[in-house]
């Protein structure tokens, strides 16, 4: 993920959350990477927000739907 404010990109701060896996935002400074491992099967929503180049948080939450499919041994084919 990345912000579209290019004036001072080193000043932009980020936060993300994976609903319903997490209940609170992860404030990660200027890091633009989120990693999740061993998520249970199900549907999730990844949310990310950022500050502007002046460090002010504003209402710019973006979301992406994610579906974790069951492992092959959890399917009818197994």
């Amino acid at each position: 993920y990345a912000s579209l404010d290019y004036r001072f990109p080193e000043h932009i701060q980020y936060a993300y959350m994976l609903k319903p896996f997490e209940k609170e935002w992860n404030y990660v400074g200027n890091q633009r990477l989120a990693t999740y491992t061993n998520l249970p099967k199900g549907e999730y929503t990844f949310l990310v927000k950022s500050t502007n180049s002046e460090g002010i948080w504003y209402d710019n939450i973006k979301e992406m739907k994610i579906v974790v499919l069951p492992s092959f041994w959890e399917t009818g084919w197994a």
Side-chain angles (χ1 to χ4, degrees), residues 2-35:
S3 173
L4 298 178
D5 187 344
Y6 298 116
R7 287 183 294 162
F8 298 103
E10 65 276 5
H11 296 149
I12 297 173
Q13 304 292 303
Y14 297 94
Y16 65 83
M17 175 177 20
L18 186 64
K19 284 187 169 184
F21 188 70
E22 298 173 306
K23 303 289 186 217
E24 297 183 15
W25 288 96
N26 296 294
Y27 291 89
V28 293
N30 61 2
Q31 177 183 338
R32 295 183 296 135
L33 176 70
T35 303

Side-chain angles (χ1 to χ4, degrees), residues 4-66:
L4 298 178
D5 187 344
Y6 298 116
R7 287 183 294 162
F8 298 103
E10 65 276 5
H11 296 149
I12 297 173
Q13 304 292 303
Y14 297 94
Y16 65 83
M17 175 177 20
L18 186 64
K19 284 187 169 184
F21 188 70
E22 298 173 306
K23 303 289 186 217
E24 297 183 15
W25 288 96
N26 296 294
Y27 291 89
V28 293
N30 61 2
Q31 177 183 338
R32 295 183 296 135
L33 176 70
T35 303
Y36 293 92
T37 59
N38 298 321
L39 286 173
K41 64 184 174 187
E43 295 183 11
Y44 300 93
T45 303
F46 181 74
L47 305 168
V48 64
K49 64 181 181 176
S50 69
T51 65
N52 60 17
S53 59
E54 297 170 357
I56 299 170
W57 292 98
Y58 60 103
D59 186 24
N60 67 342
I61 298 173
K62 302 299 180 194
E63 63 180 58
M64 179 175 63
K65 301 290 183 189
I66 298 172

